Amino acid sequence: MFKINDNYLKLPGSYLFSTIAKKVNAFQAENPDKTVIRLGIGDVTQPLAPVIIDALHSAVDEMGKAETFHGYAPDLGYEFLRTAIAKNDYADRGCEIAADEIFVSDGAKCDSGNIQEIFSVDNKIAVCDPVYPVYVDTNVMAGRTGTYDPKTEMWSDVIYMPCTAETNFAPELPKETPDLIYLCFPNNPTGATITKAQLQEWVDYANKVGAVIIYDAAYEAYISEADVPHTIYECEGARTCAIELKSFSKNAGFTGTRLGYTVIPKDLKCGDVMLHSLWARRHGTKYNGAPYIQQRAGEAVYTPEGKEQLAKQVAYYMNNAKVIKEGLQEAGYTVSGGVNAPYIWLKTPSGMTSWEFFDYLLANANVVGTPGSGFGPSGEGYFRLTAFGTYENTLAALDRIKRM
Ligand SMILES: *Cc1c(COP(=O)(O)O)cnc(C)c1O
């Protein structure tokens, strides 16, 4: 008789976005005349930039002719894309990352979930609280965590690093030594970030204790302040302790197009085994590459026109972020984020819980956001609004919130 991977049974239901959808649907059914504005889910709304559409069209045409047809992509991704990434995202920032240390994929969610496979099941993970749930859940599925305590909303055998207002929503070095440290800056959900000097402390710590940092830089394009690192490889010593995950979803609107990459420097070793070799082995065995069409679209991101058009797209969302942040401040809310990230993290007023504020905002402003408690216990009493809506909807939402 077969047995299932019963680690899956340990997972509590993923109630966050389904509960939100249920509540919104019920509200809409009772109030058919009200227009609900959604600033909840972290998905983009602007169409793909013209330069991307052109690249997609011409790649599709190539696929229709025998001479330019492309079948399976090379394991690590096409050379043209990996070279563009190595130059633009690393060499131009003074970071030493070679094209063959870059693995092209169909997105950072899969990579952030799959990367744990190359590590022993005995490794202990450290995560920020609140956190992007993928990091924890994929380690649960792999059997790297103990049991879930519904009261504390925490797993045994996981090191939680609370990110609170006291530390500007940055984690502090953990007391217990982890093997794998997940960091995401600029952060989803808090919109917070850390300076290069702070990140350097993490790199030094990881090298000292022999831990690997899995650095999710999905929101790098939203960085506006000078002392915020664009990549962990700006820090000295990161080549021996850090894996970096990048995505084309937030900088170029590829949430439905799918493209990302992972960097594993060849200096990152356990004894004499390169993690690069393990990930290459995994990629070759379990993955047949991101589509040629998407990789050509990704290449267009790095052209001068691509950079210009995408900077405008990011600026559009960051203007929304400003509207939200300043609007909330005028209305007397305590807010953070929204400067180097498209997320605004607000403290719920009058001691409301995150879910109480969700209901209050839906009923009184007909605006949907995400309860902070859905990202971890330290998110309780906080609420996330995203800047990924349209400008018109963002303005209307803030107008309603101010009149609440
Ligand atoms: C959106 C997001 C990603 C990107 O995921 P894709 O699979 O590339 O779309 C990765 N990490 C975080 C924290 C995100 O919010």
Side-chain angles (χ1 to χ4, degrees), residues 242-258:
I243 292 175
E244 183 160 282
L245 313 171
K246 284 292 289 277
S247 166
F248 289 77
S249 287
K250 313 298 168 29
N251 65 327
F254 278 38
T255 52
T257 307
R258 313 304 308 141

Side-chain angles (χ1 to χ4, degrees), residues 107-109 132 135 184 188 216 218-219 247 249-250 258:
K109 184 176 189 173
Y132 181 61
Y135 313 148
C184 171
N188 175 13
D216 186 339
Y219 294 95
S247 166
S249 287
K250 313 298 168 29
R258 313 304 308 141

Side-chain angles (χ1 to χ4, degrees), residues 37-71:
I37 300 179
R38 291 159 204 268
L39 301 180
I41 293 179
D43 196 359
V44 296
T45 52
Q46 290 291 294
L48 292 174
V51 66
I52 308 290
I53 293 296
D54 288 346
L56 287 168
H57 280 162
S58 68
V60 166
D61 287 342
E62 283 184 66
M63 295 299 271
K65 291 188 215 102
E67 313 81 69
T68 49
F69 170 78
H70 284 80

